[in-house]
Each structure stands twice: as structure tokens, then as C-alpha cells.
Amino acid sequence: MAKVKGDIIIDIEKCKGCELCIEACSQGSLERSRQVNNKGYLYIVKVQDNCTGCTNCALVCPEGGITVYRKTVDGKKQIAKIDNVNQDMNIEVNE
Amino acid sequence: MKELKLMKGNEALAEAAIRAGCDAYFGYPITPQSEVLEYLSREAEQRTGMVVLQAESEIASINMVYGAAGTGKKIMTSSSSPGISLMQEGISYIACAELPCLLVNVNRGGPGLGTIQPGQGDYFQTVKGGGHGDYRLIVLAPATVQEMADFVKEGFELAFKYRNPVMILTDGALGQMMEKVELFPQQERKFEELAWATTGKSANRQKNAITSLHLKAEQMEEVNIALQKKYKEIEKNEIRYESINCEDADIIITAYGLVARICTKSAQLAREKGIKVGVLRPISLFPFPYDVINKYANKVQGILDVEMNAGQMVEDVRLAVNGKVPVEFYGRMGGVVPDPEEILKVLEEKFVGAAV
Amino acid sequence: MNEKALIDDEHFEHTLRSEHTEIISPENIVYEKPGTLLDVDMHYCPGCGHGVVHRLLAEVIDEMEIQSEVIGVAPVGCSVLAYNYLNIDMSEAAHGRASAAATGIKRVLPEKYVFSYQGDGDLAAIGTGETIHTCNRGENILIIFINNGIYGMTGGQMAPTTLEGMKSTTSPFGRNVSTMGAPLKITELVAQLPGTQYVTRQSVHKPGNVRKAKKAIQKGFELQKQGGGTCFVEIVSNCPSNWKMTPIESNHWLEDNMLPFYPLGDIKTPNGRK
């Protein structure tokens, strides 16, 4: 299996701090910020550099506020496969 | 060549809908207007491809009208008094969302379940609101089977001209009685993409939303102001009435729909007795011919308003007359139709006997 | 000690400031907001499932490339403003009447895709008649039914789908089925009608469920093109504000309480009953 590395951008102004993405992230990459956005919400930020680009955070985000990036270590792009809808995506992590 | 037919009012109305190029009719059976749905079910689809659907209730029919009218097509429904009551919420939505459509009320005696005989007890409901909020329907009141047909075409034209629901307010007698009617030729069903309609957002335009929801008070007021402006415009342009022998009249009878025809006979009988009586028949109940009646009030001794209700349009007649001359009222209720002689008798009692 | 406090402020600020990795580049995007979901703030409470379902709708519309062929109907309820968020033609509708309005649209524009997006109060209480008869006529529309067991917009009153014993502002001591009736499984009910071709119950409380829900919505649109009857997709959703829980708690509660009564999965498919 290809080794992958991911990253995300959270639109912090859209974020309402519901924390569903924190719960959905199996890597524990996300945390609540100490600062509020313009709406007054404590938005979510990525605090660990261990993202796999699995898209789970974006899937559960009610605001459509997360963009997910991913590439394999050999530089090839790996498209998110959502065909297997019966289980959450598991991707081997590049340690 | 003229196409003359002997038809029931309801059937003439249904035939006119097909010929006017109506795209869809949604309705629910209720006496005395079920012939509209029956006639259309029989005739419409095979002749023009018009959609005819019997809904599960009047509430469903008016909301089907709401959805379909949002596409900019020619949509109509019809019902009778209790059914029209059920539709009022939807009518209010349609008026606020400014959807053109044609509604028909074949008025029966009420209140409540009432009777299936003709009545005019829905004047207030139709002309003054009925549903919630400040809105107006354009209301046309036919007096003949011919007008039952003609007003369908005219109603659709007005509806699209002003993006406003139009209601034909008729009654059970006109719906059921047969008269000869000259039918207008079949118009083509054509679909014009209207700028505001919800037909699917193409790449070259912004999305459209049909809505009557405006959560900010100021925004809702703006919508109201725009609606009122439109209603003023309608009042300026679309007043329709028939004046029968009013020019030299000493007394004028005001009446709409079927009753106006009966009163025309009363006026004729009065003239045979030497009493100069004219009949003023408002055809558009909104907009109401206030100015016309006000002008006649300058030269007549009195006005008798006759209706098949407890006195509804008479309030508008009094507003029009504004105290210049006495306005008397005579009404029959519950489905009873007055006859020409009894109206003449009332007229004599109120005006001649009272030595006006 | 709070776990969050373990991340010291200095580290936190550093993370916020740090340059994004070279991965963040357009060619590496694997998930982004669909274009049909407008770039505006939605009015929904934090963690509400409506936003997810809106996004899924937009994703399906984009992937099927049917933006110009879709007309949606959103009636009174929390989602009545859906037309502000989806870049498609939409109609608001009176409370309970969405499926009637959708019927009207579909009948005069049969070649278009028409969907209604209704809540439980709308679809299963005031609009039950319209729902049943629309499904019974087999209108070729997609009905999306958001079931969160409560009236959200009006502030947390009991809905037809409120669970037995569940508290709301109008069942403050819990829903008593002997006086208030039992929760209504309208989805199972419409599956009985010959007019429906696809009836399914999904949720969006976990990533895997979000994926399945999307598949169901997509199937609903695809089947509509072929005709054959009404497609009915129920989404069991949360209402953190009126359930008086955090969004995470509400999703756990949903899983522990809603799903046992409203089990997920296809109830009826065009190939036969499941």
C-alpha cells in the first residue's frame, strides 16, 4: 500500500467549533483553538503533523469548511475512494 | 365562423381553460363545481397535453398550484366555498411569492358546510383577504356562462401581466346552468422561460428562489410596499364594470354576478312602472369601481345593493358613495336566489314609498 | 487536568503560524466544498446534520452535473432557508406541503429532477396526507426526510418522531405514548405503498454513514431519471440545541437511542424489499 501524507485547511471563519471533526479524526490531529473567530466561536485547528488526508473530518463538517489534501510519498496523487461505504477509510500512515 | 355551444357554466370554464393553453389543473371534487375537474379529466390531456390531477385535498391542490406556478406555466385550480377556505394559506403564499395563476370559486351557501345552492357569501373572503397578511387577488365576477369562459382567458392574461393570482368568483347557479356560449379559438400551449421562474438554474443566470419568507422586518416591509404598489397599479388600470341604463337613472341597483342579471330584470320592470332604475355591475371586485359609483352617487337619489349574502359588497358601495345618498341593502342567504319582483318590491318600499 | 491545557500556548501559537506543508497544493485536493454549496454562512446551530446533508446534496448534484436540471422544495422548518445555501432553483413551501408543491413542479416539468427536503414535523405531522398521497401516486421525485425527533425551528417541541420517554418542551416529563401516541415510523409506512421504488434510512453522524447517505441521495436522483416511483431517503439526524447536548454528545445519543428505534439501511429497493 502506498504511503500517504495529508493535510487540511480549515476555513476558520466558517467554523462553529462543533468539534465533530475532532471526534472523527482518528489521528488526533485536531484541537480547539484558544481564539475565537469573527462569529465568536472557538474554531478548530490542526495541531499535529500526522494527517493522512482520510477526509473524515471534512465528511462530518456541517459547514463544508474543510479542504483535504493528500499525496503519496512517491508523489502520486491518491484519489479518495468512497466506494466502500460500509466502513470508515483506513489509510496506512507514513511514520 | 362563430363556434356556438350550449354548455354548463362549469363546462364552459373548463373548455376555456383548455383553449387558453392552460398547462395544468389541480383540483378536488366539491359540489357545485366538480364538472370542472370531470370535464378536464375527460378532455384536456388528449387534446393539448394539459396536466390534470385530482389531488388528495384542496390543501394539496393549491400547493400543487404553488409549485407548478413557480415554473412560470399557466396553472389553475377551482373549488367551492369550503374548499376555497382550505386553500387560503396557500393563496396567501402564492400572493406573496407573486405567482401568476388562476383560481375559481363556485360560491355556495354558507357558512360551514352550508348548502350546495348558489351564494355570494365569499365576497369578503375573496376581495378582502381570506388568507393571512396584506394581499389582494384580482377578482373577476362573471354573470353569464359566456363570461365564465371569457374570464378564463382574461384571468390568465391579468395573472401574468401582474404576477398575481386571479380569482374568478362565480356561484353555483352560474356553474350549473346552461347557456349558449361562443368559444374562443384554441390557443397554442407554449412555454416561455420567465426570468423569475424555477425551471432549473442554467449556467447563464443566477439561481431563482420562490419564497414568501423574509425574516428581517425591514425586508418584509419592503416586500409589502412593493406588493401595495402593484395593487395600486392594478386599481389604476384594471377596473371593469357594466353600467346598464344608469345615465338617466334616479335609482341605481348595485349587484355582481348572477344577481346583477336578476336586478336587470327588476330595473326593466321598474321602468315599466315609470321608475328610472339602472344597474351598475362591478365585474372586477378587486379592483372595485369606487370612482364610478361615486360619480353616479352625484346624480341619483339612492342606491340599492342586492347580494346573495348578509351584505358584503354593500360596504364597498358605501365607501364609494361616501354618504352622498342613502345606500340600502337587500340580500337573500343560504342558497336562496331572489327573484326580480321581490327586488322591485324592496326598491319601491325603500325609495319610492319613502318619498325620496 | 484538562487535556487541552497540555498543549502549551507557545506550541499552539507555533502550530497556527507554521507554514502549511508542500502537500497543500491544488493538485493534491482530495476533498473540498462542492461548488453547488454556496460560499455563505449557514444559519444552522453548531454540529447540526442539516449542513452535512446540504453538502451531500450539492456533491451529488455536482457529480451528476445536473445543476441546471434540479428544482428543490424546502418547506417551513429549520431548512426553509435552504435556497440561500444551494446554488440551484428552489421553492419555499408552506408547512407540510412540500411534496404537493414538488408534485406540481414535477408534473409540469417531468424531465427535471425534483426533490423535497422536509423535516419530521413537516413530513410526518402536518404534511402526512401530502406525504402518503405523493408516495402513493408514485410521483417521480426524491423526498429527503430529516428526522431528528423534534421541532427545531420553533424551539424543541415534541414531533411525531419523538421517542418514547424523550423530553421536549411540550413533553417535559417525557413522551407518554398512552396520551401522546407512539413515535411514527413513517418511512416504514411509505415503503408499504406501491408508488415508492426506493425507501432507505441513513444517518450522517459518522464519516462512514455520511458516505452511505450520499450514495442513497445519489441513488434517489438516478432512479428518478428512470421514473418508476417515489424515492424516499430518511436521514436520522441530531438537534444538539433542542436535545440540549453538545454536538458530540448528540451524535452519541443518536446512536444509542434513535438508531435502535429507527434502524439504518434500505427498506425497499427497486429490485425488491430488503
Side-chain angles (χ1 to χ4, degrees):
Chain A
M1 201 177 204
K3 292 192 170 176
V4 295
K5 191 152 174 53
D7 206 344
I8 59 167
I9 291 181
I10 298 174
D11 185 338
I12 58 168
E13 287 309 328
K14 274 219 173 77
C15 180
K16 291 176 185 162
C18 74
E19 301 189 350
L20 293 182
C21 54
I22 296 179
E23 166 136 312
C25 179
S26 57
Q27 296 296 103
S29 310
L30 305 173
E31 265 301 339
R32 182 181 254 201
S33 160
R34 306 290 170 81
Q35 295 164 347
V36 295
N37 61 14
N38 285 336
K39 287 201 212 69
Y41 289 116
L42 291 163
Y43 52 86
I44 308 301
V45 288
K46 183 163 101 38
V47 293
Q48 299 288 333
D49 195 22
N50 57 358
C51 175
T52 65
C54 76
T55 74
N56 282 352
C57 56
L59 284 171
V60 297
C61 176
E63 312 305 325
I66 304 179
T67 308
V68 185
Y69 300 80
R70 185 195 315 134
K71 72 177 205 179
T72 54
V73 168
D74 56 13
K76 278 186 193 160
K77 180 180 174 183
Q78 195 194 39
I79 304 297
K81 279 240 183 278
I82 60 162
D83 293 341
N84 182 8
V85 296
N86 295 317
Q87 60 187 72
D88 295 356
M89 198 176 296
N90 288 310
I91 294 168
E92 196 180 321
V93 185
N94 179 23
E95 293 293 350
Chain B
M1 199 181 76
K2 280 185 182 178
E3 195 180 345
L4 280 174
K5 276 193 173 175
L6 185 66
M7 294 183 99
K8 265 189 173 189
N10 285 336
E11 292 178 345
L13 184 128
E15 175 63 30
I18 299 172
R19 289 180 183 234
C22 178
D23 291 298
Y25 170 94
F26 302 97
Y28 186 80
I30 182 171
T31 309
Q33 67 79 52
S34 297
E35 293 85 356
V36 181
L37 174 57
E38 288 170 347
Y39 189 95
L40 290 172
S41 302
R42 216 160 52 224
E43 296 276 332
E45 196 186 347
Q46 53 191 9
R47 278 171 51 190
T48 64
M50 174 182 169
V51 172
V52 181
L53 182 60
Q54 179 173 335
E56 63 271 27
S57 67
E58 287 90 349
I59 296 174
S61 4
I62 194 66
N63 285 285
M64 288 172 184
V65 168
Y66 172 90
T71 68
K73 295 206 174 200
K74 280 185 177 174
I75 314 297
M76 73 177 285
T77 185
S78 66
S79 189
S80 179
S81 308
I84 297 290
S85 295
L86 277 174
M87 292 185 182
Q88 290 303 330
E89 183 199 29
I91 293 173
S92 173
Y93 275 65
I94 286 169
C96 187
E98 297 191 87
L99 302 179
C101 61
L102 182 65
L103 319 168
V104 180
N105 181 0
V106 185
N107 197 332
R108 61 191 240 184
L113 190 52
T115 73
I116 58 171
Q117 278 80 28
Q120 295 186 325
D122 299 354
Y123 179 91
F124 282 156
Q125 185 199 53
T126 315
V127 175
K128 304 295 179 189
H132 56 284
D134 281 318
Y135 74 90
R136 296 287 190 173
L137 305 174
I138 298 172
V139 184
L140 300 175
T144 60
V145 172
Q146 183 66 53
E147 286 184 344
M148 290 279 276
D150 294 346
F151 287 0
V152 171
K153 189 158 162 262
E154 193 170 347
F156 272 124
E157 284 162 7
L158 286 169
F160 279 87
K161 184 176 176 187
Y162 293 100
R163 270 189 72 182
N164 204 70
V166 171
M167 184 173 277
I168 293 178
L169 180 62
T170 180
D171 64 63
L174 277 165
Q176 294 297 323
M177 71 192 211
M178 292 183 92
E179 279 188 308
K180 76 168 190 270
V181 52
E182 185 189 338
L183 294 165
F184 57 85
Q186 177 68 48
Q187 294 183 323
E188 199 193 337
R189 261 187 73 210
K190 51 174 188 257
F191 180 39
E192 209 184 317
E193 190 94 24
L194 298 170
W196 51 266
T198 48
T199 54
K201 182 207 153 329
S202 55
N204 57 9
R205 68 158 167 86
Q206 298 286 305
K207 72 182 166 75
N208 285 332
I210 302 291
T211 185
S212 61
L213 176 70
H214 307 279
L215 285 171
K216 290 200 176 90
E218 291 76 11
Q219 205 183 345
M220 188 72 238
E221 190 183 40
E222 267 174 41
V223 170
N224 268 287
I225 289 167
L227 285 175
Q228 293 304 320
K229 202 175 148 203
K230 178 173 82 173
Y231 302 147
K232 285 275 173 289
E233 193 67 16
I234 294 169
E235 283 176 330
K236 206 171 80 189
N237 301 333
E238 307 300 345
I239 286 169
R240 288 155 170 74
Y241 63 93
E242 187 187 13
S243 157
I244 306 154
N245 295 328
C246 288
E247 292 315 312
D248 67 337
D250 293 326
I251 298 157
I252 280 179
I253 303 178
T254 52
Y256 75 92
L258 180 76
V259 182
R261 283 176 78 174
I262 300 165
C263 292
T264 307
K265 181 69 183 173
S266 308
Q268 187 195 325
L269 295 173
R271 281 188 182 256
E272 282 167 13
K273 287 184 157 186
I275 315 164
K276 285 185 192 168
V277 177
V279 175
L280 193 284
R281 171 170 81 97
I283 294 173
S284 57
L285 302 182
F286 178 84
F288 191 78
Y290 290 107
D291 290 346
V292 177
I293 294 174
N294 184 278
K295 274 184 198 140
Y296 280 123
N298 292 330
K299 51 188 199 182
V300 297
Q301 295 164 13
I303 289 175
L304 175 66
D305 180 81
V306 185
E307 300 173 60
M308 289 192 290
N309 57 37
Q312 299 193 14
M313 187 178 80
V314 66
E315 294 192 359
D316 282 322
V317 174
R318 286 191 173 123
L319 279 174
V321 170
N322 202 13
K324 284 180 183 172
V325 290
V327 177
E328 299 289 351
F329 171 75
Y330 180 65
R332 296 298 299 267
M333 289 168 285
V336 179
V337 182
D339 64 48
E341 287 79 12
E342 76 179 280
I343 294 167
L344 176 62
K345 199 167 155 240
V346 171
L347 186 136
E348 286 178 315
E349 277 169 17
K350 300 232 187 234
F351 292 102
V352 185
V356 172
Chain C
M1 193 184 199
N2 191 327
E3 204 180 331
K4 279 176 195 136
L6 292 173
I7 309 165
D8 63 73
D9 281 0
E10 197 180 322
H11 169 70
F12 197 84
E13 290 300 320
H14 173 75
T15 311
L16 283 177
R17 278 197 311 272
S18 72
E19 291 291 313
H20 278 297
T21 59
E22 78 286 356
I23 302 164
I24 295 190
S25 165
E27 71 270 15
N28 292 331
I29 289 177
V30 289
Y31 202 96
E32 65 182 332
K33 181 188 79 62
T36 288
L37 189 70
L38 288 164
D39 201 9
V40 294
D41 294 335
M42 291 189 268
H43 71 282
Y44 301 115
C45 306
C48 172
H50 273 306
V52 178
V53 184
H54 282 19
R55 198 190 69 235
L56 295 183
L57 256 169
E59 284 177 17
V60 170
I61 289 166
D62 281 359
E63 285 165 24
M64 290 177 72
E65 297 179 345
I66 55 172
Q67 188 191 23
S68 64
E69 301 167 64
V70 172
I71 302 153
V73 181
V76 172
C78 283
S79 56
V80 68
L81 290 166
Y83 55 77
N84 284 339
Y85 310 136
L86 294 166
N87 194 18
I88 54 172
D89 278 0
M90 283 197 80
S91 184
E92 162 228 40
H95 196 26
R97 318 303 169 208
S99 63
T103 296
I105 297 169
K106 185 69 178 182
R107 288 287 177 130
V108 296
L109 294 174
E111 71 284 4
K112 304 283 180 178
Y113 293 91
V114 178
F115 73 91
S116 70
Y117 186 107
Q118 307 175 245
D120 39 33
D122 184 87
L123 181 138
I126 192 168
T128 313
E130 283 77 3
T131 304
I132 299 283
H133 284 280
T134 299
C135 291
N136 195 48
R137 285 191 303 269
E139 299 291 343
N140 285 310
I141 61 168
L142 167 62
I143 296 176
I144 295 172
F145 166 41
I146 308 294
N147 173 12
N148 55 15
I150 207 151
Y151 282 79
M153 191 195 216
T154 46
Q157 295 82 9
M158 183 178 68
T161 47
T162 298
L163 297 174
E164 182 175 1
M166 186 173 165
K167 286 180 182 169
S168 72
T169 58
T170 51
S171 57
F173 310 107
R175 182 177 190 152
N176 178 349
V177 297
S178 68
T179 56
M180 300 164 179
L184 180 60
K185 291 186 179 179
I186 196 157
T187 307
E188 276 80 354
L189 215 151
V190 299
Q192 306 295 315
L193 304 171
T196 51
Q197 60 168 327
Y198 175 51
V199 180
T200 188
R201 183 183 286 121
Q202 304 294 335
S203 76
V204 291
H205 71 296
K206 280 182 168 181
N209 296 96
V210 174
R211 293 190 179 97
K212 283 193 220 174
K214 180 178 171 182
K215 289 260 166 187
I217 291 169
Q218 185 167 346
K219 192 169 175 181
F221 277 118
E222 283 167 356
L223 288 169
Q224 184 176 154
K225 197 63 177 175
Q226 300 160 21
T230 311
C231 293
F232 191 101
V233 177
E234 172 181 342
I235 311 274
V236 181
S237 191
N238 60 352
C239 184
S241 293
N242 288 303
W243 290 1
K244 307 193 192 315
M245 297 173 195
T246 68
I248 289 174
E249 283 167 3
S250 76
N251 277 347
H252 287 192
W253 193 88
L254 179 151
E255 185 151 356
D256 296 341
N257 298 277
M258 294 285 278
L259 297 189
F261 190 79
Y262 298 113
L264 302 182
D266 289 347
I267 297 165
K268 186 181 188 180
T269 65
N271 306 323
R273 205 163 284 259
K274 280 210 170 171

